[in-house]
Amino acid sequence: MMEKRKAGKIIAAVNNKGGVAKTTSAVSLAAGLAAEGRRVLLADLDAQASASLSLGIARADLLPSAAEVLLQGLPVQEAVRRSYVEGLDILTGSMALSSADLVLADRTGREAVLRSALTPARREYDVIILDCPPSLGLVPVNALTAADLFFVPMTPDYLALEGLVNLMEAVERIRAGIGKTADLLGILLTLCDYRLNATAEIIGMIRRHYGRQVFKTEIKSNVRLKEAPSFGKTIFDFDRGSAGAECYRAFVQEVLGMI
């Protein structure tokens, strides 16, 4: 008798602030884990579909998407498709997700819709990565409820630090209200420009305050990371020797040691 496959881990990339390299981090983590032999699903939960576009999927080819799964009850297996990266499948995002809060608002158990939808996929994949929109609406709440772990990409600047405090407080409120949310995997420092005097100061503040909750890896500010999505490539395929690729490889290894 064949042994049943162990349910995969679900990891959400969450930040209610935009421009923090959240999607880049989610895509790079997913692709990096796939390169390490893991079977990975990347779920793009953002109406902008940036993760999907970053993997070379044309806007005209986004449907069926996560919106049909989350809002219309389409079985997740019918919406998932292979990406060009071996071992990495994707559940695309689409503009239809922009109405998610309205559609889900009056639904019973609205915060657990995604968890139920992903249940069949958990035994098909070693890891499922959720790329959330930059908000704390019902889609990120669903992601935090569905996930086992979440990580917070953030830039080392004062406004981002204030936003992090607000985000962590919001997660605690969600946990108190629902009774269960994902545990913090870690805080990932991104877009680190060490030429700025404030960068080292703020990184020091974050590390002193959050300690081991901050990943050792820091993602350097790197123009190749910004260029890769426009070519529909991950940083590992676009420029594997770049500083950005080296940083994200280190991040992947760090995550592998924790899950």
Side-chain angles (χ1 to χ4, degrees):
M1 182 173 165
M2 286 187 65
E3 186 178 344
K4 284 187 177 180
R5 186 187 180 102
K6 183 180 178 181
K9 289 279 187 185
I10 301 181
I11 304 173
V14 180
N15 198 321
N16 55 335
K17 186 178 187 298
V20 298
K22 177 180 53 57
T23 293
T24 298
S25 298
V27 171
S28 299
L29 177 59
L33 290 172
E36 291 291 332
R38 303 309 194 271
R39 184 107 170 88
V40 184
L41 173 64
L42 174 62
D44 185 350
L45 303 179
D46 194 344
Q48 297 179 72
S50 297
S52 308
L53 300 174
S54 295
L55 286 173
I57 297 173
R59 195 168 291 280
D61 297 329
L62 292 174
L63 302 181
S65 72
E68 284 68 42
V69 174
L70 190 61
L71 309 180
Q72 298 178 20
L74 181 73
V76 67
Q77 302 95 319
E78 295 182 25
V80 167
R81 83 270 317 261
R82 292 180 180 178
S83 77
Y84 84 89
V85 177
E86 185 177 354
L88 174 58
D89 290 351
I90 184 162
L91 176 61
T92 56
S94 72
M95 275 304 296
L97 286 164
S98 61
S99 64
D101 279 13
L102 289 173
V103 175
L104 294 174
D106 296 326
R107 190 175 297 183
T108 303
R110 59 184 179 269
E111 72 283 341
V113 175
L114 182 63
R115 182 172 63 191
S116 298
L118 290 177
T119 296
R122 291 195 70 152
R123 295 198 179 276
E124 298 295 322
Y125 297 95
D126 299 309
V127 185
I128 300 174
I129 306 293
L130 310 179
D131 184 35
C132 299
S135 74
L136 281 176
L138 281 173
V139 173
V141 168
N142 263 265
L144 286 166
T145 304
D148 303 294
L149 302 161
F150 74 99
F151 73 98
V152 183
M154 68 166 291
T155 53
D157 60 70
Y158 286 109
L159 291 179
L161 182 56
E162 288 295 323
L164 176 62
V165 173
N166 293 336
L167 173 64
M168 301 304 278
E169 290 176 351
V171 171
E172 286 304 317
R173 288 196 299 271
I174 294 168
R175 182 175 287 124
I178 297 173
K180 184 267 177 191
T181 60
D183 294 322
L184 177 65
L185 179 63
I187 298 162
L188 177 65
L189 294 163
T190 62
L191 302 176
C192 297
D193 187 348
Y194 302 110
R195 297 170 299 177
L196 303 177
N197 292 333
T199 298
E201 179 185 347
I202 297 170
I203 288 175
M205 290 171 57
I206 294 167
R207 290 197 178 281
R208 283 191 298 273
H209 186 77
Y210 289 99
R212 293 184 180 180
Q213 292 179 312
V214 185
F215 287 105
K216 294 177 182 177
T217 305
E218 297 172 3
I219 309 299
K220 297 176 182 177
S221 184
N222 178 236
V223 68
R224 305 300 272 174
L225 287 169
K226 294 182 179 180
E227 293 171 344
S230 63
F231 289 86
K233 299 284 186 182
T234 72
I235 188 59
F236 307 119
D237 293 320
F238 182 64
D239 190 346
R240 65 177 293 103
S242 66
E246 290 178 5
C247 289
Y248 275 114
R249 272 193 291 271
F251 173 53
V252 170
Q253 291 304 314
E254 195 169 351
V255 170
L256 279 171
M258 300 169 72
I259 63 174

